[in-house]
Each structure stands twice: as structure tokens, then as C-alpha cells.
Amino acid sequence: MAARRHKQALAVAIALLVLAAADLAVAFLWQPETRSLLHDVLVVFWPLPALAGFLLLAYELFLHRRLVSELSQISGPSIVEHLLPNDVLRTFLSSIYGSHEANQDVVSGVLGGDGLRPHKDLTISTNTTVKLELQGINAKTYHLITTQSYQFRHSVPVDRFVIFATSDVLLRDTISAACRYPLFELYYITDPSLFLDSVDDVLHSTKIAIDYIDHDGVSRSAAPSQIPLLEVKFDQWPNYLTFFRESTSTQPKRSPHSHLGDLRIFECDLSGIAEDHLVSAIRGLTITSRMLQRTNEGFCYWQAPYPSYVEQIRFEARGLTVDHSPRHEFSIMPFLFRSNTVTGQWLKADDLDDLTVRSWLLPGHGVALMWREARH
């Protein structure tokens, strides 16, 4: 559209210049014996199309791009900052992808929330580290200990933390987009027969540390502590996950009764670890938890719950081998925008290096640690 308008403007400018030249030529070559009104008009008129054509041509060839660039630099950022993030990104995606209801999934994933309240419903971590540790229990089961640390770009105005635990694959892939709580964690138990034991493991092991702002606006920190996780009754699940309230173009409405055996929701009051203070906003969050898993599944993984700039993902797998269980070799398989690892190599636990990421991860991005019996 812009290229077409540019060509049309150039055509008009050239037409005006041609008209001016023709006018001047006629006025110069035609010299009537007596005074003629038409001749006088031609003499007076030719500078007008000449000037208009010259200005239009100069604007299109030299001034337009520079003027648009300067105006966008001056007004663009200030205008965008006063618009709702959801509106800005949705409009931009529609111009690139075309109009589609599924664009909202991309909007939520990139923004880390709905983006309907500037800087108040977005969860974006600009400094994130992750550690995955495997501790064998016996030859069949192990504990996956996950430690995640986040530092948020804007303080998250919330005093609650929510934990989802599920053994349902579909819930695993949709909870992040359907959750309307800014701070949450999702645990997926791959073996349904271990679901209840794994949930108990999470409940009794989870420790949380926070950097927070109290109600007086003072920045404070709270050391890692265990705080009671209160289970959310199933009739309250629609308040936590949108697909229990309504259907969308990408997923139907679901009934909480259908997931009584494969979903648990817990929440905690973060003020419970803030000594005598009340939490009004969270600046940083570190959560450590332990989850029971099957060893013969041959993998574990971590996914970003919200947009996170990840510095490093650490692995500690030497504890997986216990008693008379076979020794294992490991391979790191990232699913990221980019990473600094050579995939496909199988290494001993002692040779397993940390993964340097230094890149943004969106919900759905992460890394898997795979293992198999060592081959001699």
C-alpha cells in the first residue's frame, strides 16, 4: 500500500512539472499580435504547477522517509507506552499473521499475562536461573529437585503463590495460558500411579524465598522457608483457570469433575514468610521443590512458566544411581530460541556441564535431561 501511494505521488509530481513546462512553452512560443487574456493566464499560471510538482517530488524522494522516521522516534515510544500492551501486540500480530483468535495465545505468552493493565498483570523475569537435581531412591524411582530463581522487571503486585500439579497431558499444555494468577508453578507427574505420592512430595518439600515490597513501600527479603500450602477446593477451580469457566475458539469449557483424579491446586500467602510484614508486591522469587518420578521414563524437563531471560540451567545427576541400579549416561536436549550446547552427546554424570542459555524463554520453551543405561 505504501509503495503504491509513493508511485502515485511521484506520478502526480511529474504530471504537474510536465504541465508547467507545457504552459511555459506555449506562453513563450505564442506571441499574439494583440493582448490576449489566455496568454496572460498562461504566463501567470505556469509557476503554480511547477512549484507544486517540485515540492511534491522533493518530499517523496528526500523528505518523507526522514520525516516519518523522526516522528516515529519522537512520538512512537511515548504513544506505545500509554497504550494497553494487549492492544499493541494484538494489532501488530494481526498485521503480520492475519486476524485469528489463536493470536491471543501468542500475546499472552510474549507478555506474560493479559496485558490489560499496564505493568500490573504482566510477569516477566529478566534474570532467571534453574537447577535440576536427580536423587535416586531405588532402582525404580527418584526425586526430581527443582530450584528456580526469578527477578522480575516490574514488581508483581500480588501476595499469593499458586501451585498446579497434574498428570494430564492436555492440562499440562494449557494451564500456563489459562492461569490468571501472576505467580504460579506447574508440576507435571508423568506416571498417574505416582500422582498422589508426588503431590505429597511437593507439599512437604516446597520452600520459597522472596524479595518483596511491604505495605509501607520498603524493599525487604525473606529467606527460604516452608509455608503451608492450602488446597483449593474443586468448586473454586474456575477462579484459577479460565477453561473451567468458559470455552474459547482454541479449547472447550471443561468440568472440574472430570479432573478430580489428575489435578490439584494449592496456594499460599507469601506474607507468611515475611516475618511481621505484609507483602504488597514481589520483586524476586526463588522456589525449591521435590517431586517423585519413575526412573525408567528416561527423562525430566523444565519449562518456563512466564517470559524469562535465563542465564544458566544447572544439572546434578550423580545421585540418580543408587544401590545396585545400573549406571547412566545423559544428554541435554534444549527446546529454546537458541542455546550454547552440542545436542546428541551422551555423557557420564561427572561430565555433565551446565547449560549456558543467555536468551529469552517463553512459556513452552525449556530443556529436557535424558538418560539411558551406560554403554561400554
Side-chain angles (χ1 to χ4, degrees):
M1 181 67 71
R4 182 179 178 184
R5 188 208 61 79
H6 178 68
K7 291 180 180 180
Q8 290 175 343
L10 289 179
V12 171
I14 293 173
L16 289 172
L17 292 175
V18 170
L19 176 62
D23 185 343
L24 181 60
V26 172
F28 180 76
L29 296 176
W30 177 38
Q31 298 294 332
E33 296 180 357
T34 60
R35 185 172 182 177
S36 171
L37 178 61
L38 178 59
H39 185 269
D40 292 342
V41 170
L42 292 174
V43 171
V44 173
F45 178 73
W46 75 266
L48 296 178
L51 179 61
F54 175 78
L55 292 177
L56 181 58
L57 189 65
Y59 173 77
E60 288 296 326
L61 293 179
F62 305 107
L63 298 178
H64 178 72
R65 290 185 180 178
R66 178 174 295 182
L67 183 61
V68 170
S69 176
E70 292 295 332
L71 287 176
S72 63
Q73 291 181 11
I74 294 173
S75 62
S78 60
I79 292 175
V80 169
E81 287 181 359
H82 289 83
L83 297 176
L84 292 177
N86 185 290
D87 293 341
V88 174
L89 191 53
R90 181 185 283 273
T91 301
F92 176 73
L93 287 179
S94 295
S95 68
I96 302 298
Y97 292 174
S99 297
H100 199 288
E101 296 231 1
N103 290 358
Q104 183 59 38
D105 295 338
V106 182
V107 172
S108 299
V110 172
L111 294 180
D114 284 336
L116 298 176
R117 295 183 298 160
H119 309 315
K120 293 185 178 181
D121 63 349
L122 305 183
T123 307
I124 300 174
S125 173
T126 54
N127 189 346
T128 310
T129 58
V130 181
K131 181 181 178 182
L132 301 180
E133 182 178 358
L134 311 182
Q135 286 188 350
I137 301 174
N138 50 48
K140 295 182 178 180
T141 57
Y142 73 97
H143 278 137
L144 171 61
I145 302 174
T146 307
T147 302
Q148 308 160 68
S149 181
Y150 304 96
Q151 292 294 322
F152 301 113
R153 182 170 185 266
H154 297 285
S155 298
V156 184
V158 68
D159 60 358
R160 299 272 166 175
F161 185 77
V162 180
I163 288 179
F164 301 97
T166 184
S167 59
D168 183 88
V169 175
L170 194 57
L171 290 181
R172 176 199 65 186
D173 295 337
T174 54
I175 282 177
S176 292
C179 177
R180 288 301 174 259
Y181 276 71
L183 293 183
F184 68 92
E185 186 52 66
L186 168 63
Y187 296 103
Y188 174 62
I189 296 90
T190 53
D191 187 344
S193 67
L194 290 181
F195 180 64
L196 294 180
D197 290 334
S198 292
V199 169
D200 286 339
D201 219 6
V202 171
L203 291 179
H204 292 98
S205 66
T206 298
K207 291 185 177 181
I208 298 176
I210 54 175
D211 297 322
Y212 67 97
I213 299 175
D214 66 16
H215 274 230
D216 295 324
V218 179
S219 296
R220 301 181 184 273
S221 296
S225 303
Q226 275 190 296
I227 52 179
L229 295 172
L230 303 179
E231 183 165 8
V232 177
K233 302 302 181 182
F234 80 95
D235 59 343
Q236 297 298 314
W237 288 1
N239 297 330
Y240 292 77
L241 296 170
T242 56
F243 52 64
F244 287 135
R245 296 199 305 264
E246 59 191 8
S247 62
T248 66
S249 62
T250 56
Q251 54 184 321
K253 181 181 177 180
R254 297 179 196 160
S255 169
H257 293 85
S258 302
H259 295 284
L260 293 178
D262 54 36
L263 176 65
R264 293 291 185 274
I265 303 176
F266 303 89
E267 72 171 2
C268 62
D269 184 354
L270 294 175
S271 294
I273 59 174
E275 298 181 348
D276 296 328
H277 306 287
L278 294 177
V279 173
S280 64
I282 300 296
R283 298 170 52 244
L285 172 73
T286 299
I287 176 171
T288 301
S289 58
R290 185 184 67 202
M291 185 167 53
L292 186 66
Q293 297 280 35
R294 294 283 186 196
T295 305
N296 62 6
E297 289 170 348
F299 75 97
C300 65
Y301 72 95
W302 173 83
Q303 284 183 301
Y306 9 78
S308 303
Y309 184 85
V310 178
E311 289 286 342
Q312 190 178 64
I313 299 177
R314 300 175 57 196
F315 303 94
E316 177 53 70
R318 284 174 288 191
L320 182 62
T321 301
V322 294
D323 298 332
H324 301 291
S325 62
R327 294 192 175 275
H328 298 89
E329 54 188 9
F330 301 85
S331 181
I332 299 173
M333 303 295 289
F335 38 103
L336 316 169
F337 284 125
R338 61 180 177 84
S339 64
N340 299 315
T341 187
V342 179
T343 59
Q345 293 185 341
W346 291 92
L347 304 170
K348 296 179 181 178
D350 291 334
D351 299 328
L352 197 61
D353 292 328
D354 299 335
L355 177 64
T356 300
V357 181
R358 292 177 184 166
S359 180
W360 282 99
L361 275 68
L362 302 181
H365 289 157
V367 62
L369 178 64
M370 306 178 68
W371 59 85
R372 66 186 184 187
E373 291 188 17
R375 301 179 180 180
H376 301 288

